[in-house]
Amino acid sequence: MSILAKIAEIENEMARTQKNKATAHHLGLLKARLAKLKRELITPKGGTGGGTGEGFDVAKTGDARVGFVGFPSVGKSTLLSNLAGVYSEVAAYEFTTLTTVPGVIRYKGAKIQLLDLPGIIEGAKDGKGRGRQVIAVARTCNLILIVLDVLKPLLHKRLIEHELEGFGIRLNKQPPNIGFKKKDKGGINFTATCAQSELDGDTVKTILAEYKIHNADITLRSDVTADDLIDVVEGNRVYIPCIYVLNKIDQISIEELDVIYKVPHCVPISAHHRWNFDDLLEKMWDYLQLVRIYTKPKGQLPDYTSPVVLPDGRTSVEDFCLKIHKNLIKELKYALVWGSSVKHNPQKVGKDHVMEDEDVIQLVKK
C-alpha cells in the first residue's frame, strides 16, 4: 500500500469519526500517524531521494529573503519584474516560470532578496508538479507573499495554506508554548499549567507512544491542541510571517476594494499598473522586523548610506561583530552606542548590549 493511499485512508477515517471527548483519544492517535506519514512523503526513506530540480537551490544573498508563492498565472512574475527590475518570463498561459527566479531590491538601506517561485498546483505536498522543491525553497524564506487573483482569492488562499501546512510551514503563528524534553528513564511526566480543552494525560501518552517516546517531560503552558503537540514533537516546523497580496485590483470596483482592505495580513495591488507598491513594501518591512545599525569610524561622521542589517531578536553588539567578521569579537574592548537603546549619548557598552533600530555604533579595539 502506497503512502498516499495510507494517508487517504486515515483522512477518511478522521472524517467519519465524530468529535467528542470519547473520541479525542482516537483522533489524537490518527493525527500523529498522519503527521508521520506526511513527513515520510516529504523526506523519502533511503538516502536523499532525487536531487533538487535545476535552478531551485538559489544562494541566499542580502539581509532577508522573501518568496512569492501562488498558483500559476496570478501575476507573480509581473510583480517581481516591476518591483526588482528582473526579467522573469511573463506570458498569458499557465506555468510560464519553471525554476526559481531571484531578484534583489534595496529598501531603507536593506538588501532584500525576492524569489519568484514556480506556480504551485493542488497536491504539491504529495510531490505533484514541481511542488516539493517549490515548498522546500519557501521554507527558507523570512517572509512569504501569497499572491492571489482578486477574482478567486478565497479558494486559492485555502488551497495554498493547506499545501504549505502539509509541509510543516505555519503562517502568521507563534510556536506553541509547550515544554518538551526527552529523557532516558522515568516515564512520561505530564504537567499542564492551565485548563486544557482538548488534551489530557492519556491522549498525550498515546501521541508520544506513536512516536516511540516513552520517557519525556511535557509541560503545557497554554491551551493547546493535539496538532500543536505533534508540531513540537516533530520539531521540523518553521513559523514564517505571511502577507496575502491580492493582484489585479484593476478588475474590481472601489466598493469591493474597501471590503478587501479590512482583511488582516492583506495588501491589494495591481502588478501590471504598479498600483499600491509602496504600501506593499512598507508592510513587507514591518513583517520582516529588520534592525538597521549605522557604523561610525573614529573621528568621522556616521555612515548613513549602508547600515548593517540584523534580524530582530539577534541585535546585540556581539551579533553585530559576528555579522561583519568572526574575529572582530576577540579584538573588541568595548563599543560606543548612540541611539534609543542607551540612556546617555554616547554610552560605553559591552558585547551583550542589545541595540535598537537606527542606532549608531563605534567599536573600540583592545
Side-chain angles (χ1 to χ4, degrees):
M1 202 174 171
S2 71
I3 297 180
L4 280 177
K6 285 180 190 168
I7 287 179
E9 194 181 347
I10 291 178
E11 280 178 343
N12 286 340
E13 190 176 342
M14 281 171 71
R16 285 199 307 269
T17 311
Q18 285 185 340
K19 278 187 185 169
N20 54 40
K21 273 193 179 155
T23 60
H25 192 82
H26 181 58
L27 279 170
L29 181 68
L30 291 178
K31 280 178 181 168
R33 274 189 197 152
L34 196 60
K36 274 174 70 179
L37 286 170
K38 282 185 173 167
R39 187 186 56 200
E40 270 177 40
L41 201 59
I42 301 169
T43 51
K45 280 183 183 160
T48 52
T52 51
E54 169 147 351
F56 273 89
D57 30 6
V58 180
K60 209 167 185 174
T61 58
D63 302 305
R65 189 176 211 182
V66 178
F68 294 179
V69 179
F71 278 94
S73 291
V74 289
K76 297 190 294 294
S77 301
T78 316
L79 182 58
L80 181 77
S81 313
N82 289 344
L83 268 179
V86 175
Y87 181 69
S88 177
E89 209 171 318
V90 178
Y93 54 85
E94 303 205 327
F95 295 108
T96 324
T97 311
L98 292 173
T99 59
T100 310
V101 180
V104 175
I105 54 169
R106 289 204 75 116
Y107 187 66
K108 294 192 179 180
K111 277 169 77 178
I112 299 172
Q113 183 184 34
L114 305 176
L115 296 183
D116 177 21
L117 302 172
I120 283 189
I121 53 172
E122 213 179 325
K125 64 178 188 308
D126 308 332
K128 281 188 195 161
R130 272 291 184 73
R132 188 179 289 171
Q133 292 112 320
V134 175
I135 301 184
V137 174
R139 275 180 73 102
T140 64
C141 296
N142 303 95
L143 170 69
I144 291 179
L145 297 188
I146 294 186
V147 187
L148 303 165
D149 190 332
V150 79
L151 300 174
K152 41 188 175 184
L154 282 173
L155 175 72
H156 280 182
K157 173 175 179 282
R158 211 170 297 128
L159 287 172
I160 289 175
E161 280 176 349
H162 185 66
E163 297 295 325
L164 294 177
E165 291 263 319
F167 247 81
I169 296 176
R170 302 284 176 264
L171 301 174
N172 291 330
K173 279 186 190 168
Q174 292 300 317
N177 198 350
I178 297 176
F180 172 62
K181 191 173 161 202
K182 287 187 190 175
K183 301 183 295 188
D184 293 337
K185 54 180 191 284
I188 302 281
N189 187 5
F190 169 74
T191 42
T193 56
C194 56
Q196 298 293 324
S197 58
E198 190 177 317
L199 291 176
D200 57 7
D202 291 343
T203 313
V204 170
K205 279 179 184 164
T206 313
I207 291 175
L208 291 176
E210 183 61 38
Y211 283 97
K212 299 189 172 57
I213 297 171
H214 302 293
N215 303 300
D217 288 333
I218 293 277
T219 316
L220 307 183
R221 300 191 191 90
S222 59
D223 189 6
V224 293
T225 62
D227 292 326
D228 291 338
L229 179 63
I230 291 169
D231 282 355
V232 170
V233 176
E234 283 272 348
N236 61 356
R237 307 292 189 241
V238 284
Y239 296 84
I240 302 178
C242 163
I243 299 174
Y244 302 104
V245 182
L246 290 172
N247 191 11
K248 309 186 185 177
I249 54 169
D250 45 326
Q251 300 177 7
I252 58 169
S253 64
I254 300 284
E255 289 78 20
E256 289 171 304
L257 194 56
D258 287 342
V259 174
I260 287 170
Y261 244 105
K262 296 190 178 100
V263 181
H265 311 299
C266 197
V267 182
I269 60 152
S270 170
H272 186 65
H273 295 286
R274 302 183 181 216
W275 295 346
N276 209 12
F277 274 14
D278 44 358
D279 207 12
L280 176 64
L281 287 168
E282 191 55 47
K283 198 148 190 153
M284 273 164 59
W285 181 258
D286 286 350
Y287 277 56
L288 283 168
Q289 293 184 310
L290 297 173
V291 174
R292 292 160 293 178
I293 308 291
Y294 300 112
T295 52
K296 180 187 176 303
K298 193 172 181 184
Q300 295 174 24
L301 287 170
D303 175 16
Y304 287 119
T305 51
S306 52
V308 174
V309 180
L310 301 169
D312 190 39
R314 291 211 296 273
T315 57
S316 67
V317 176
E318 188 173 2
D319 294 318
F320 171 84
C321 294
L322 290 171
K323 172 100 184 193
I324 295 171
H325 197 278
K326 61 178 185 288
N327 289 344
L328 196 57
I329 193 75
K330 295 172 190 163
E331 302 168 0
L332 178 75
K333 190 174 179 188
Y334 61 88
L336 294 171
V337 174
W338 291 255
S340 56
S341 70
V342 289
K343 284 180 183 166
H344 316 290
N345 284 330
Q347 185 169 324
K348 208 169 164 180
V349 297
K351 64 173 185 169
D352 295 329
H353 174 74
V354 175
M355 295 179 285
E356 288 172 15
D357 195 21
E358 301 206 80
D359 278 4
V360 175
I361 187 171
Q362 175 185 328
L363 300 178
V364 179
K365 291 185 178 178
K366 285 172 185 163

